[in-house]
């Protein structure tokens, strides 16, 4: 499967009478976007704001971040299962608006939602302080249940990202990247001298607003399966979860998964990147056993030499991570794990809730319990009411002078377990 991904660089977003992409600027008709959002019957209001890198702006509570994209050529459309039909994506040509993002915010859904600071020390911990962001502050109808509110905001965000992405359909990209994965039969003969490597991506699927979607299906309902890596890049995997902000994979992370990008960059040079296995993170032991059994079985069927495994979340999913490690290593396949750590504010506690002697190669995204003081900023997009109760905050996190003392757990993307951040630990 071959995907040509054309990047259109966006340097600014401006409100205008007509939506368009021109000379690196995304012009947005605010009324057209609001009308699109309010097609969701469970939303009664939408405030649109623009947040630019370096501005004294804080966005909270953040729900999802999405990169605008459109399908230019080939089967399927963007965000299959929600915005488009469930045709298989990952091939043909897709355009992305690089350098900008749609950020959904508003009244809190679940306590694990986050903060994006566009300047100051907090900005150093999130990649979304470097993007120009169109922020949708969505207001639910009265009495709406949490799951219905999450679904309404999620779908509204995807529709807006698709609407904006379509503006770049006829624009010549600034850069075109080509990604291709051959069939399994072809992969055995393409680079016979290089180690066969695959990527096992663990998807957050514990329920209670900890959900990920694959072609519109809740990942807790799937068994581990093979996909082409380009499918995830092309919008097949979407976030619907309120796991702690620091290590939550937003939809933007799935669209721009750096593990996939780095493995493609090494394909044919140091390794033979033959495919991708997606698996879920479960609550009950039987489900954990089933999924790790299947994930390791698929790795064995691929005749792999090595596997990269990434986690999402912490605590309970640490068990899934270690089960995957033990069972894949048990097949004679070397594993590299990507996780983050919850080692206490002093860094001296056990980093993971589970461990095993076979986990000999682990990449850390940093310690989420590290404490930071965020300065008062000039503008808040959203609301500060929930700072004391979101994961990583505490009673008194929001100080009288407007500063915030909290763990970096509150910052969206701070310890991302795909490595989409600038932290590690040793």
């Amino acid at each position: 499967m071959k995907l040509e991904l054309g990047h259109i660089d966006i340097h600014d977003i401006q409100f205008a009478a007509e939506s368009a992409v021109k000379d690196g600027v995304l012009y947005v008709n605010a009324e057209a976007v609001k009308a699109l959002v309010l097609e969701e019957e469970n939303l009664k209001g939408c405030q649109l704001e623009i947040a630019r890198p370096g501005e004294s702006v804080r966005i909270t509570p953040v729900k999802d971040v999405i990169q605008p994209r459109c399908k230019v050529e080939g089967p399927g459309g963007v965000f299959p299962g929600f915005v488009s039909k469930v045709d298989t994506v990952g091939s043909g040509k897709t355009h992305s608006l690089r350098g900008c993002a749609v950020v959904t915010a508003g009244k809190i859904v679940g306590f694990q939602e986050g903060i994006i600071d566009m300047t100051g020390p907090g900005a150093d911990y999130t990649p979304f302080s470097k993007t120009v962001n169109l922020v949708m502050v969505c207001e639910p109808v009265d009495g709406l249940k949490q799951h219905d509110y999450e679904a309404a905001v999620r779908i509204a965000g995807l529709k807006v990202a698709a609407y904006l992405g379509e503006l770049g359909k006829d624009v010549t990209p600034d850069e075109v990247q080509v990604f291709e994965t051959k069939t399994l039969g072809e992969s055995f003969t393409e680079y016979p001298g290089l180690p066969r490597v695959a990527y096992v991506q663990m998807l957050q699927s514990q329920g209670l607003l900890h959900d990920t979607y694959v072609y519109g299906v809740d990942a807790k309902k799937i068994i581990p399966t093979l996909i082409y890596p380009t499918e995830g890049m092309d919008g097949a995997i979407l976030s619907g979860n309120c796991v702690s902000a620091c290590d939550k994979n937003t939809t933007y992370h799935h669209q721009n998964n750096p593990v996939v990008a780095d493995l493609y960059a090494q394909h044919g040079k140091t390794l033979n990147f033959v495919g991708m296995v997606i698996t879920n993170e479960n609550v009950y032991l039987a489900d954990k056993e089933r999924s790790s059994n299947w994930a390791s079985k698929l790795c064995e069927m691929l005749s792999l030499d090595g596997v990269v495994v990434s986690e999402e979340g912490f605590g309970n999913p640490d068990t899934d991570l270690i089960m995957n490690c033990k069972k894949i290593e048990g097949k004679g396949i070397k594993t590299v794990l990507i996780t983050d750590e919850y080692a206490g504010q002093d860094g001296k506690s056990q980093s993971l809730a589970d461990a095993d002697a076979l986990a000999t190669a682990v990449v850390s995204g940093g310690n989420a319990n590290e404490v930071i003081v965020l300065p008062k900023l000039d503008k808040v997009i959203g609301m500060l009411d929930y700072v004391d109760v979101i994961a990583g905050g505490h009673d008194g996190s929001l100080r009288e002078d407007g500063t915030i003392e909290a763990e970096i757990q509150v910052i969206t993307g701070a310890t991302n377990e795909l490595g989409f951040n600038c932290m590690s630990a040793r």
Side-chain angles (χ1 to χ4, degrees):
M1 186 173 280
K2 181 179 178 180
L3 176 68
E4 293 185 21
L5 186 55
H7 301 287
I8 300 163
D9 289 330
I10 300 298
H11 308 294
D12 194 20
I13 298 176
Q14 297 179 18
F15 291 124
E18 184 177 347
S19 296
V21 172
K22 185 177 181 181
D23 299 327
V25 178
L26 172 60
Y27 295 96
V28 177
N29 181 320
E31 295 308 313
V33 170
K34 288 179 183 178
L36 196 61
V37 172
L38 294 179
E39 287 179 358
E40 295 301 311
E41 62 181 8
N42 284 328
L43 300 177
K44 68 177 183 180
C46 176
Q47 173 188 349
L48 294 181
E49 300 275 3
I50 298 168
R52 301 177 177 87
E55 292 183 336
S56 184
V57 172
R58 173 166 295 140
I59 311 168
T60 187
V62 173
K63 292 157 178 42
D64 198 10
V65 184
I66 312 160
Q67 185 175 56
R69 291 190 174 185
C70 73
K71 203 72 193 166
V72 176
E73 191 176 292
V78 294
F79 312 128
F82 287 109
V83 174
S84 304
K85 294 180 179 180
V86 290
D87 298 310
T88 301
V89 295
S91 63
K93 296 181 180 180
T94 296
H95 283 180
S96 76
L97 302 188
R98 184 169 63 182
C100 73
V102 172
V103 177
T104 54
K107 293 179 180 178
I108 201 162
V109 174
F111 68 92
Q112 294 174 307
E113 297 183 32
I115 296 172
I116 295 174
D117 280 359
M118 301 304 292
T119 192
D124 294 336
Y125 289 89
T126 175
F128 306 118
S129 64
K130 288 82 176 172
T131 52
V132 186
N133 301 315
L134 179 68
V135 186
M136 300 165 40
V137 183
C138 299
E139 184 178 0
V141 297
D142 296 339
L144 188 64
K145 293 182 179 179
Q146 286 177 293
H147 287 82
D148 295 330
Y149 178 28
E150 183 282 320
V153 175
R154 168 165 37 91
I155 294 170
L158 295 174
K159 288 165 67 175
V160 170
Y163 166 78
L164 297 177
E166 197 69 22
L167 302 174
K169 187 170 187 176
D170 298 321
V171 178
T172 301
D174 294 283
E175 180 187 9
V176 176
Q177 293 179 295
V178 179
F179 304 94
E180 185 174 14
T181 298
K182 300 292 182 66
T183 65
L184 290 180
E186 292 172 313
S187 76
F188 279 103
T189 58
E190 188 176 24
Y191 299 109
L194 295 178
R196 292 172 60 81
V197 175
Y199 171 38
V200 174
Q201 183 175 12
M202 294 168 52
L203 305 177
Q204 178 56 249
S205 58
Q206 294 175 284
L208 296 176
L209 300 172
H210 289 43
D211 305 301
T212 304
Y213 296 89
V214 181
Y215 285 100
V217 176
D218 190 331
K220 71 171 64 65
K221 299 178 181 179
I222 70 169
I223 55 174
T225 188
L226 286 170
I227 67 170
Y228 283 101
T230 52
E231 291 180 71
M233 301 171 74
D234 216 16
I237 304 174
L238 305 175
S239 174
N241 79 67
C242 301
V243 71
S244 287
C246 63
D247 53 19
K248 167 182 178 171
N249 291 334
T250 67
T251 296
Y252 190 105
H253 286 103
H254 291 299
Q255 293 172 297
N256 297 276
N257 189 321
V259 180
V260 172
D262 287 353
L263 287 171
Y264 268 125
Q266 292 301 313
H267 179 61
K269 299 175 183 177
T270 63
L271 53 84
N272 184 1
F273 183 28
V274 301
M276 181 170 169
V277 175
I278 55 172
T279 185
N280 45 24
E281 299 174 351
N282 299 287
V283 176
Y284 297 110
L285 181 59
D287 296 324
K288 293 176 183 292
E289 294 283 11
R290 180 188 303 109
S291 289
S292 54
N293 286 342
W294 273 71
S296 60
K297 177 184 68 175
L298 291 172
C299 291
E300 181 182 40
M301 291 173 67
L302 293 172
S303 298
L304 299 176
D305 299 297
V307 168
V308 178
V309 185
S310 68
E311 182 182 12
E312 183 175 11
F314 71 99
N316 188 294
D318 293 346
T319 301
D320 301 79
L321 178 72
I322 296 301
M323 279 185 169
N324 284 320
C325 173
K326 289 171 63 176
K327 293 177 182 180
I328 295 171
E329 287 270 356
K331 302 289 187 182
I333 303 166
K334 297 298 183 182
T335 64
V336 175
L337 309 181
I338 309 176
T339 181
D340 62 354
E341 304 179 46
Y342 285 76
Q345 294 183 359
D346 60 2
K348 297 180 180 179
S349 299
Q350 181 171 316
S351 296
L352 301 178
D354 200 356
D356 191 85
L358 291 173
T360 57
V362 181
V363 179
S364 170
N367 178 20
N369 296 134
E370 180 183 333
V371 176
I372 189 172
V373 176
L374 303 175
K376 180 180 180 180
L377 298 184
D378 294 338
K379 181 178 180 178
V380 174
I381 299 177
M383 53 217 69
L384 292 173
D385 310 37
Y386 309 104
V387 168
D388 287 358
V389 297
I390 58 176
H394 60 266
D395 186 21
S397 276
L398 181 59
R399 297 168 168 176
E400 291 185 4
D401 62 1
T403 61
I404 297 172
E405 180 189 53
E407 296 178 350
I408 60 170
Q409 191 178 167
V410 303
I411 299 175
T412 301
T415 62
N416 180 261
E417 294 163 292
L418 301 177
F420 204 123
N421 63 341
C422 53
M423 288 189 66
S424 189
R426 60 181 179 179

